[in-house]
Amino acid sequence: MRKVQKGSAWLITASLLVLLLSACAGNNAAPGNNGNADHPPAAPGNNSETSDAPEQVTLDLFVDQTWWPIKEWSGAVAEEITRKTGVHLNVTVATDDKQLQVMIASGDLPDLVATSGQVKRMSDPDLSLAWNDLIAEYAPDWELEQERIGVNTAEDGNFYTIRNFFSTEAEWEEYKDTALLYTGGISVRQDILEELGNPQIQSLEDLTALFQTVKDTYPDMIPLVLNPPNWHRAYFEQQFGALSGFNDVDGQLVYSLNMPAYKDMYLYMNDLYRKGFIRAENYAYKSEDQGKQLMFNGTGFAFSWTTQGSDQLTSAAKEQGGYTFVNLPVRLTDNLKIVNSAVGWQGVFITKGNKNPEASIRLMQFLQSDEGQKLALWGIEGEHWEYAPDGDYPVFKYNTMDDAERVARGAFYWGLLIGSTTTEMRALYEPDTDATRTNQVVTDETQFMPAIGLVAPDADSDEQVVLTNIQEMIKSEESKVLLATSEEAAAAAYDAMVEQANRIGLERLEAWANERYEEANAQLAGS
């Protein structure tokens, strides 16, 4: 049964769709105002001549991500959005990660700012207009769920954006069959598994035995390859029920280093190394391609990555060896914990100097509607996609994984300014694949705890400094645990990490986190 914390809605322990994007070059254009509220220019590409067409305006949008692929508001999707809303966007993409900070300091902000890194900074009445005020004045028919408001509410009680990549508890329940989550997973060579008689893997002991059998039967094969620099611990953290960062333990937040189960996880991984299942140099890899290549050339048996891994590895291996990969079971222990604490990603801010606040908030209302989300994320129904005959998910008529094809249409699968995660994930649904079968289990096992996601220190705060220093310390010191030559040495190295974390300020950080956690739970409940 799906486990849902009451009053909550989304995460997956790590950065879900980082895997789906490739970096793109920035745009050197500077933001500026083209048009004004009294004489708005016509939007390019809009051929509508009907008398009930909305008044048209061009708004300047600055996107605070250098890799953002949509450099111009063009293509069939963008033109259809303009036709529906009357808004054409003059897009400027950041040239570096400091550009927005300079613009804020100078007061030179365009009509709209889309950012993920400066959400708290832009949630300021001196910089941005409060959406709750704009909705009350210009879009009173727009009803937002308390969960969605709660995860975006600023310290002054207003909300200045609704970030994309978030879904409410009700949305996840409605689309649980096709909006699937993924998490840390281990994918293995199917042919080797079959040669070994398809042994059942139902516990960590079974997993250890499988790796030992592979080592004994195929001495030239690496039993387990870890995907660096992320995901290498994820599958094991989940099995031990101790996730990196803050964990809810009986209603209180505890940092992972202070959890006995987290130490057990490290000791288990060290045992895998001492048994010869993991190579020491694996921890020095800087690129995930180093690990993947071992799988493609037949050197590796198992790859610790995500539950998307089996399908992605199989697809990529077609041209590099033809191997087929399958995922290991999601649950190997009674302590399994998969937590989704995401509270959204990028948000659009309507600045104080915005030339047309009404058109801006109504654009956001349309893009957040069911019609607007499908248009922005999937494309034009009938032209770009059709509903699958067996469910509420799209079957595309173009390659949505091809940046050039997608950008040419003006669609963007990872949240075009505002939208729900469930709409995004349904676009990725493929029936009857190994990853889909695995992720259906993941979705059912996931606990939704967005309050944890709201426990984020302010930039440059004392808490942020402490948290960053602890994270950096773990990166530099964990190899002493993972590569220790005995269990005793591994345990001592782990205890040394905890001592260093306490000297840095872990106790103070946990105290702050629990104060914020109480506030976050109240915020989500609307009290």
Side-chain angles (χ1 to χ4, degrees):
M1 174 178 292
R2 170 182 295 200
K3 303 171 184 176
V4 181
Q5 177 164 308
K6 187 176 181 181
S8 304
W10 207 79
L11 133 73
I12 239 170
T13 56
S15 42
L16 163 61
L17 288 160
V18 162
L19 303 170
L20 297 179
L21 288 173
S22 57
C24 296
N27 187 323
N28 292 322
N33 289 336
N34 296 323
N36 55 63
D38 296 325
H39 302 286
N46 188 338
N47 297 319
S48 175
E49 300 293 340
T50 59
S51 59
D52 59 349
E55 182 182 8
Q56 294 183 6
V57 61
T58 294
L59 298 174
D60 297 314
L61 167 69
F62 178 79
V63 183
D64 184 31
Q65 280 90 28
T66 58
W67 46 260
W68 191 261
I70 298 177
K71 313 298 184 186
E72 297 180 352
W73 191 249
S74 61
V77 170
E79 291 173 5
E80 182 67 6
I81 292 172
T82 295
R83 190 183 71 80
K84 294 276 189 178
T85 65
V87 175
H88 173 78
L89 296 177
N90 176 35
V91 181
T92 298
V93 177
T95 57
D96 59 55
D97 61 1
K98 300 292 190 294
Q99 188 173 355
L100 178 57
Q101 297 178 49
V102 173
M103 294 165 65
I104 292 173
S106 68
D108 183 21
L109 292 172
D111 301 303
L112 305 170
V113 171
T115 181
S116 60
Q118 298 293 325
V119 168
K120 287 193 175 183
R121 182 70 185 90
M122 289 298 299
S123 297
D124 182 333
D126 291 333
L127 300 176
S128 307
L129 300 174
W131 278 32
N132 41 292
D133 293 337
L134 294 175
I135 290 172
E137 183 173 357
Y138 299 119
D141 57 331
W142 188 5
E143 297 182 2
L144 287 165
E145 306 88 339
Q146 177 56 44
E147 287 173 78
R148 192 163 263 117
I149 293 173
V151 298
N152 289 286
T153 298
E155 293 180 0
D156 64 2
N158 295 309
F159 59 96
Y160 296 85
T161 188
I162 295 294
R163 284 171 288 186
N164 61 20
F165 204 59
F166 173 84
S167 277
T168 66
E169 178 180 324
E171 288 171 334
W172 283 112
E173 182 61 30
E174 181 178 0
Y175 299 113
K176 63 182 179 182
D177 294 331
T178 52
L180 303 180
L181 301 169
Y182 67 82
T183 187
I186 293 181
S187 306
V188 303
R189 284 263 302 275
Q190 185 176 23
D191 58 329
I192 299 296
L193 202 63
E194 291 174 351
E195 289 176 16
L196 297 176
N198 284 317
Q200 287 194 331
I201 311 299
Q202 298 179 329
S203 66
L204 289 174
E205 291 75 18
D206 290 343
L207 181 59
T208 303
L210 173 64
F211 291 151
Q212 186 65 56
T213 302
V214 170
K215 181 184 178 185
D216 294 341
T217 309
Y218 309 95
D220 295 330
M221 180 170 277
I222 304 173
L224 177 60
V225 178
L226 306 177
N227 179 26
N230 307 307
W231 298 106
H232 62 286
R233 297 190 311 259
Y235 184 79
F236 302 107
E237 289 177 345
Q238 292 159 193
Q239 302 304 329
F240 281 86
L243 307 179
S244 177
F246 289 112
N247 292 251
D248 184 304
V249 179
D250 298 326
Q252 293 290 304
L253 289 188
V254 179
Y255 196 75
S256 50
L257 279 180
N258 274 336
M259 300 178 68
Y262 206 60
K263 181 177 183 178
D264 292 341
M265 180 275 300
Y266 266 102
L267 296 182
Y268 177 78
M269 291 193 69
N270 170 253
D271 183 62
L272 295 181
Y273 162 71
R274 288 186 290 107
K275 285 183 165 65
F277 304 154
I278 302 171
R279 290 185 177 177
E281 61 266 25
N282 197 158
Y283 287 109
Y285 292 167
K286 301 299 182 184
S287 167
E288 67 178 24
D289 291 335
Q290 292 174 275
K292 288 179 181 178
Q293 194 55 46
L294 294 174
M295 306 309 297
F296 298 146
N297 66 20
T299 303
F301 165 68
F303 191 56
S304 179
W305 190 18
T306 78
T307 50
Q308 299 283 84
S310 59
D311 286 356
Q312 293 190 17
L313 288 171
T314 298
S315 177
K318 287 180 180 179
E319 299 179 1
Q320 304 190 54
Y323 301 120
T324 299
F325 296 86
V326 294
N327 287 326
L328 292 180
V330 173
R331 175 183 286 276
L332 296 184
T333 76
D334 292 336
N335 298 317
L336 178 74
K337 179 191 288 185
I338 304 172
V339 171
N340 185 327
S341 61
V343 294
W345 176 68
Q346 181 193 67
V348 174
F349 291 85
I350 300 172
T351 64
K352 286 194 70 175
N354 183 289
K355 71 172 72 71
N356 195 324
E358 179 177 1
S360 299
I361 198 65
R362 288 193 175 277
L363 173 65
M364 294 297 104
Q365 180 183 18
F366 174 75
L367 290 177
Q368 201 269 334
S369 70
D370 184 64
E371 177 188 5
Q373 288 190 53
K374 290 174 181 175
L375 173 58
L377 294 166
W378 301 355
I380 298 173
E381 184 178 0
E383 181 178 344
H384 299 146
W385 61 273
E386 300 279 5
Y387 279 112
D390 61 339
D392 188 17
Y393 64 95
V395 176
F396 290 97
K397 300 183 178 184
Y398 68 99
N399 182 7
T400 59
M401 294 296 104
D402 186 305
D403 282 346
E405 287 197 46
R406 192 173 56 253
V407 171
R409 291 163 175 80
F412 190 30
Y413 59 77
W414 200 26
L416 184 62
L417 305 181
I418 183 172
S420 299
T421 321
T422 49
T423 308
E424 299 183 33
M425 299 308 293
R426 283 150 64 203
L428 302 176
Y429 179 77
E430 293 185 42
D432 301 323
T433 70
D434 185 72
T436 292
R437 288 187 288 272
T438 305
N439 290 335
Q440 285 170 334
V441 178
V442 170
T443 302
D444 193 55
E445 293 278 6
T446 297
Q447 302 176 57
F448 294 87
M449 305 178 74
I452 295 179
L454 291 175
V455 181
D458 292 333
D460 301 323
S461 65
D462 290 343
E463 293 80 17
Q464 181 62 60
V465 172
V466 170
L467 179 60
T468 299
N469 288 340
I470 289 175
Q471 292 169 336
E472 291 301 316
M473 180 274 294
I474 293 173
K475 288 181 183 178
S476 65
E477 298 296 317
E478 70 172 355
S479 62
K480 296 177 182 179
V481 185
L482 296 167
L483 301 178
T485 56
S486 68
E487 182 175 349
E488 293 75 18
Y494 184 90
D495 292 341
M497 284 203 306
V498 176
E499 290 178 9
Q500 289 191 60
N502 286 328
R503 288 197 295 271
I504 292 170
L506 179 56
E507 183 177 355
R508 186 169 73 254
L509 180 66
E510 282 189 339
W512 166 84
N514 277 289
E515 289 181 8
R516 179 69 187 102
Y517 193 45
E518 184 176 351
E519 295 170 357
N521 279 306
Q523 184 173 316
L524 287 170
S527 59

